[in-house]
Amino acid sequence: MKRAEIIAVGSELLLGEIVNTNASYISEQLSKYGVSVLYHQVVGDNAERMRETFEIARRRSDLVIVTGGLGPTADDVTKTVLSDLLERPIVRDEEAFHTIQQFLQSRNREMNEGDARQADVLSGADVLQNPVGLAPGMWIEGETTWMLLPGVPREMRALIDATFPKKFSGATLVSESLRFYEIGESALDNAVKDLLNGSNPTVAPYAETGEARLRISARAVDDTAARLMIEEMKDEILRRVGSYYFGSDDETIASYLVQSLTRHHQTLAIAESLTGGEVQSMITSTPGASAVFLGGVVTYSDELKNRYLGVALDTIEQHSVVSKEVAYEMVDGLVKQTNADYALSFTGEAGPTSNSGRPVGTVYIGVKTPDGIEVIERVYPHQERNVIRLRAAKDGLWALIQRIKKANKCS
C-alpha cells in the first residue's frame, strides 16, 4: 500500500469545536510501516458530501482510513454511505452486539435501536472488535482497502495499535531528526543537497525558530536494519555539518548544555530580564538539571537589578537598562552570589515598543566562563515579541555550549 488517505467525519471538526488529533496519530503510525499518507480530508455529517469525499479517496488512494460516524445517533451515517458506495449490504455482528448488550445490562439500561446499530458492519468486512468501547471497527479489502474506526481518540488508538502490526508485517519505517543550530535551513540544505534525492533512506530538511533539522527516514525489513541505514547516513551528515549539531528528536539545546556541564562537573546560574524566566525553565525542564543548575533570578525593575545583582543605578541611568554594561553587571553580580562556573544574563527590547530607546529586537547576553565575562549583542529585527525572547534564550545557551566545548578542548 503506497498511497494512504485519512478521512475524519464530523461536523464538529469543521466548526472548530474539536481538533483533529486522530489524523496526526494515524499518519504517525502508518509511517512506521512505510505507508505514505498523501491526503487528509474532513467532511461533515452529510451523506451526499460524505459519498463525494469517499469517491475521491477511492480513485486516488490504496488505503483509506475513516474515523467517526460509527456511533448510535441518527447523524452517524458512515457505514450507510460506504455500504451504498461499495455495494456491500449491512449485517449485524453478533459478537459486537453481545458486547453492547452486556455493557447496557451492567448499567441497568434498555437497548434501543441506536445502541444496536453500533453492531452493524459491512458484509465481508474483517470486524475489529473494540476493546475499550462499543462500536467495532472494520477492515475491508478490495481494489481500495478501507479501514473504519470510531472517532473517539481512545478507541481509535486501541484499534490502530491492535490492527496495524497484523496488517503491515514484513516492513518498517524508522526516522530520526537531526537538530542543528546557528546554520540556516538554506545553508544546511546546500551542505547536504546531494543526499536529498535518495529514495532509501530519505533526507528531508525543515526548520523551526532559530533551528534547522534534517529528518532521515529508512525503510527495512525490521527496526535494526532501518536504524543501521540511518546511522550510516547520519555519520555522513555529521562529517559535513557536525559542528552545528546538538541532538536528535526530542533533545534540545538546553538538554545538550546540561549534559555538557554534567560530564565536566561544572555549574550554571542564570539572570534574566528580557526572557522572564524562560531560560531557567528550559534548563529545569531537562532531567538531571539539578546536578548542575544552582539557580537564578528574574529581575525586571531597576531596583531589583540593583538589590539582587548589584547592578549600579548609575550604570542604568548612563547606558539604559538595555545595554552591554547592564548585561555585564548582571552576570558579574550573579556569579558573585552563586560562585557558578558558568553564568548567563539577558536584557533587551522585546517590543512591541521600546522603553530604552534601543530598537526593538536589540538583545544583550552576558556570558561568564572561567576565563572571564563577555557580552554578546544580537539584533532580531521585525520579529514578534515571543520570537525575540525565544531566539535570545537559544542564542545564549548555544553561546555557552561553544565556550564549554572550546574550554574542554584546550584543557
Side-chain angles (χ1 to χ4, degrees):
M1 295 180 184
K2 297 179 181 178
R3 301 167 300 178
E5 181 161 347
I6 300 168
I7 301 173
V9 173
S11 298
E12 67 277 8
L13 294 168
L14 295 173
L15 294 171
E17 296 173 356
I18 296 176
V19 177
N20 184 16
T21 58
N22 285 355
S24 62
Y25 183 80
I26 296 169
S27 290
E28 180 184 14
Q29 298 308 306
L30 284 172
S31 72
K32 294 178 180 179
Y33 296 95
V35 180
S36 299
V37 177
L38 303 187
Y39 305 99
H40 284 186
Q41 291 197 76
V42 179
V43 62
D45 301 300
N46 176 280
E48 183 179 345
R49 288 191 289 273
M50 201 179 295
R51 181 186 175 98
E52 180 183 357
T53 301
F54 289 174
E55 286 179 333
I56 292 170
R58 180 169 65 167
R59 288 195 298 268
R60 67 188 183 186
S61 299
D62 303 311
L63 169 66
V64 181
I65 299 180
V66 183
T67 65
L70 305 183
T73 60
D75 61 354
D76 289 316
V77 295
T78 297
K79 289 180 285 192
T80 303
V81 173
L82 194 60
S83 169
D84 181 58
L85 180 67
L86 301 183
E87 298 181 345
R88 286 175 178 252
I90 290 178
V91 297
R92 184 147 293 176
D93 182 78
E94 292 303 322
E95 183 177 350
F97 182 80
H98 182 64
T99 297
I100 296 168
Q101 195 174 46
Q102 285 190 316
F103 173 83
L104 295 173
Q105 287 176 350
S106 70
R107 284 160 175 74
N108 295 316
R109 284 176 48 194
E110 293 289 330
M111 182 182 292
N112 59 39
E113 181 52 35
D115 295 324
R117 195 164 53 241
Q118 292 181 93
D120 290 348
V121 298
L122 272 65
S123 176
D126 179 4
V127 180
L128 312 175
Q129 300 299 335
N130 191 334
V132 293
L134 299 182
M138 283 170 266
W139 183 277
I140 305 165
E141 297 278 1
E143 185 176 346
T144 296
T145 296
W146 296 80
M147 186 180 191
L148 306 188
L149 296 167
V152 179
R154 176 168 165 265
E155 299 179 28
M156 176 276 302
R157 291 184 180 215
L159 288 174
I160 288 287
D161 294 346
T163 305
F164 278 10
K166 300 174 184 176
K167 300 297 184 181
F168 300 119
S169 60
T172 187
L173 182 140
V174 178
S175 296
E176 180 177 345
S177 290
L178 310 186
R179 304 180 67 169
F180 302 87
Y181 201 74
E182 216 169 47
I183 180 172
E185 185 180 12
S186 61
L188 182 61
D189 183 278
N190 187 62
V192 299
K193 59 184 177 182
D194 58 308
L195 305 178
L196 302 180
N197 299 320
S199 58
N200 191 29
T202 60
V203 180
Y206 60 108
E208 63 177 60
T209 304
E211 297 181 23
R213 299 195 190 190
L214 292 173
R215 179 184 291 277
I216 309 172
S217 299
R219 289 184 174 87
V221 293
D222 57 35
D223 189 85
T224 301
R227 291 194 180 279
L228 180 61
M229 295 168 66
I230 287 175
E231 284 303 314
E232 291 175 352
M233 180 62 75
K234 179 178 177 180
D235 288 344
E236 175 58 25
I237 291 171
L238 296 187
R239 186 184 66 79
R240 304 183 189 191
V241 289
S243 60
Y244 302 102
Y245 171 75
F246 67 85
S248 296
D249 297 329
D250 295 331
E251 292 181 274
T252 65
I253 295 175
S255 67
Y256 187 95
L257 176 58
V258 168
Q259 291 164 16
S260 297
L261 292 168
T262 302
R263 280 196 303 271
H264 299 103
H265 308 287
Q266 294 165 322
T267 55
L268 173 67
I270 297 170
E272 300 179 70
S273 180
L274 163 81
T275 44
E278 184 162 350
V279 186
Q280 295 173 68
S281 177
M282 293 165 74
I283 292 293
T284 55
S285 295
T286 301
S290 60
V292 298
F293 182 58
L294 300 181
V297 293
V298 178
T299 55
Y300 263 59
S301 75
D302 298 349
E303 179 187 349
L304 292 186
K305 286 181 176 68
N306 172 258
R307 183 187 307 173
Y308 293 116
L309 296 172
V311 178
L313 295 178
D314 286 346
T315 302
I316 296 174
E317 184 176 352
Q318 184 177 351
H319 300 284
S320 92
V321 72
V322 178
S323 63
K324 291 182 178 180
E325 291 77 9
V326 167
Y328 184 102
E329 292 189 15
M330 285 175 68
V331 76
D332 184 49
L334 179 68
V335 171
K336 288 174 180 176
Q337 295 284 347
T338 63
N339 292 316
D341 297 307
Y342 291 91
L344 292 168
S345 66
F346 297 83
T347 184
E349 284 289 359
T353 59
S354 173
N355 296 315
S356 66
R358 308 277 186 188
V360 171
T362 302
V363 170
Y364 296 100
I365 304 168
V367 183
K368 169 64 173 68
T369 72
D371 292 330
I373 297 174
E374 61 181 301
V375 177
I376 301 168
E377 181 178 359
R378 291 283 187 269
V379 180
Y380 312 106
H382 314 298
Q383 297 290 332
E384 187 266 337
R385 174 181 177 83
N386 286 332
V387 172
I388 294 170
R389 296 171 69 245
L390 181 57
R391 286 294 306 274
K394 290 182 175 182
D395 276 356
L397 295 175
W398 185 253
L400 205 52
I401 286 169
Q402 299 310 302
R403 284 151 183 78
I404 292 171
K405 281 184 178 179
K406 182 178 179 181
N408 288 295
K409 279 182 182 178
C410 297
S411 61

